[in-house]
Amino acid sequence: MHHNPPRQSCGFVIDVVGYGESDKIVTLYCPDLGRVTAIAKGAMNSRRRFVNKLEPHTLLRFFYHPPRGANSLFLLKEAELLDAHLAIREHYHRYVAACHFSELLLRFTRERDPDPTLYTLIHWTLRALSTEPFPLKITVFSFLNLLTVLGYQPELTHCGQCRQAVNARHRYILLPGHGSLLCSECHISRQHPFPQLSVQTVRVLARTQSTRLDRLQRLHLSTQNVGEALEALHTYAVHLLQQDIHSWQTLRPLIAPTGKIRGHPPSPPSNVLTRTNSTG
């Protein structure tokens, strides 16, 4: 039994899974706690404390008891919904993009390691996905900013081998092992299986790195820029993680082989959305 009153925090729900017959395991990211995993007992049967609140991408104010041991979970007592981000759940492309970002957070972050900059990025990403008519553009911005926050910012101003500045004469690849570019002149004699980037894509990614979050949506990315960027960033992230990013299998089909974004399919049933968010 917990004799002390519950503590309070706020955070974004980044994953939810069922546990047993009536409980839920909830992963949140909070400005003061970082990423935490909590158990919400009886959440599946709740008609007041948790109803319609413990959903992916929601922003909550919640009350909890901290874990008693190093390997135990937070105990979630009650939650108040601050922002449901309904626009994300009502639009297939936005939902897939949000699920992909949530999986990146789960893969790259550690438990109880708060980072205010990362919390700000999560807040911006979900707000932007709720309003942006071209949500995969936000995926590029948030993906690149996440790598920067985590200390994996790629070098996008010059070729890492010949040191020449990015210029229109070349196409480029992002070397996963180095996080640096290699121009077409330097890799012409070697066969690299990595996605190629046009000079326009490289330049818009470099500009993204120097642009404040609140101004990012003003940048223009063509569908070709988005397709090239996501392929390259995914390859880089998989190398860093040394494991698959499962949500990529749902995100990638939205990008046609030509770099164009496929038409919006009809919204899938709720059980499909749940599987999309699963990180396996």
Side-chain angles (χ1 to χ4, degrees):
M1 294 292 293
H2 292 270
H3 300 289
N4 296 324
R7 303 178 187 180
Q8 176 180 322
S9 186
C10 63
F12 292 96
V13 177
I14 58 178
D15 195 40
V16 183
V17 295
Y19 183 75
E21 295 183 358
S22 62
D23 302 340
K24 288 185 177 182
I25 303 294
V26 186
T27 305
L28 306 104
Y29 198 94
C30 314
D32 54 336
L33 302 171
R35 196 188 88 197
V36 296
T37 305
I39 184 167
K41 292 186 175 294
M44 294 185 187
N45 302 324
S46 172
R47 296 185 179 182
R48 183 178 63 85
R49 294 182 303 143
F50 302 122
V51 63
N52 298 326
K53 300 172 184 177
L54 304 184
E55 301 292 342
H57 323 309
T58 56
L59 174 61
L60 304 177
R61 177 181 293 114
F62 61 93
F63 298 87
Y64 70 94
H65 288 295
R68 292 185 170 182
N71 297 319
S72 57
L73 302 177
F74 284 69
L75 177 61
L76 200 60
K77 297 294 292 181
E78 192 171 345
E80 174 187 347
L81 185 63
L82 300 180
D83 193 336
H85 294 111
L86 288 177
I88 291 177
R89 300 189 63 81
E90 293 170 349
H91 188 290
Y92 183 75
H93 284 209
R94 288 173 179 167
Y95 192 86
V96 171
C99 291
H100 178 262
F101 183 65
S102 291
E103 184 177 357
L104 292 177
L105 291 172
L106 288 171
R107 301 291 190 198
F108 274 109
T109 59
R110 298 177 296 178
E111 289 273 333
R112 307 179 205 179
D113 184 20
D115 185 334
T117 304
L118 182 53
Y119 182 82
T120 298
L121 177 60
I122 299 170
H123 195 179
W124 176 85
T125 298
L126 295 179
R127 283 286 182 89
L129 285 175
S130 297
T131 59
E132 172 60 47
F134 186 18
L136 294 189
K137 181 175 84 169
I138 303 304
T139 299
V140 174
F141 294 153
S142 59
F143 204 154
L144 192 55
N145 272 277
L146 178 63
L147 292 171
T148 298
V149 171
L150 297 171
Y152 300 115
Q153 176 172 313
E155 174 53 64
L156 300 171
T157 60
H158 58 268
C159 173
Q161 182 165 311
C162 68
R163 312 303 293 179
Q164 289 188 30
V166 168
N167 62 78
R169 299 198 313 272
H170 300 298
R171 290 182 64 83
Y172 294 85
I173 59 175
L174 179 62
L175 290 173
H178 303 274
S180 60
L181 295 173
L182 196 63
C183 71
S184 52
E185 188 172 289
C186 290
H187 73 73
I188 193 170
S189 61
R190 289 181 282 175
Q191 294 297 318
H192 287 289
F194 309 127
Q196 293 199 13
L197 299 167
S198 66
V199 66
Q200 294 86 357
T201 299
V202 173
R203 284 173 175 168
V204 77
L205 290 178
R207 190 174 177 188
T208 297
Q209 292 178 327
S210 61
T211 301
R212 290 182 354 207
L213 283 178
D214 61 350
R215 297 184 177 180
L216 273 180
Q217 282 182 271
R218 303 177 187 178
L219 297 184
H220 172 72
L221 275 74
S222 69
T223 53
Q224 179 179 344
N225 296 152
V226 168
E228 291 179 355
L230 289 179
E231 292 279 1
L233 292 174
H234 172 75
T235 302
Y236 182 38
V238 168
H239 177 84
L240 292 171
L241 293 168
Q242 291 297 295
Q243 57 181 290
D244 290 336
I245 300 170
H246 301 310
S247 55
W248 176 245
Q249 300 306 314
T250 308
L251 184 73
R252 190 179 190 186
L254 303 183
I255 308 168
T258 59
K260 295 181 180 179
I261 305 304
R262 297 189 188 276
H264 296 194
S267 295
S270 58
N271 62 326
V272 174
L273 293 182
T274 300
R275 289 199 299 274
T276 299
N277 190 59
S278 173
T279 56

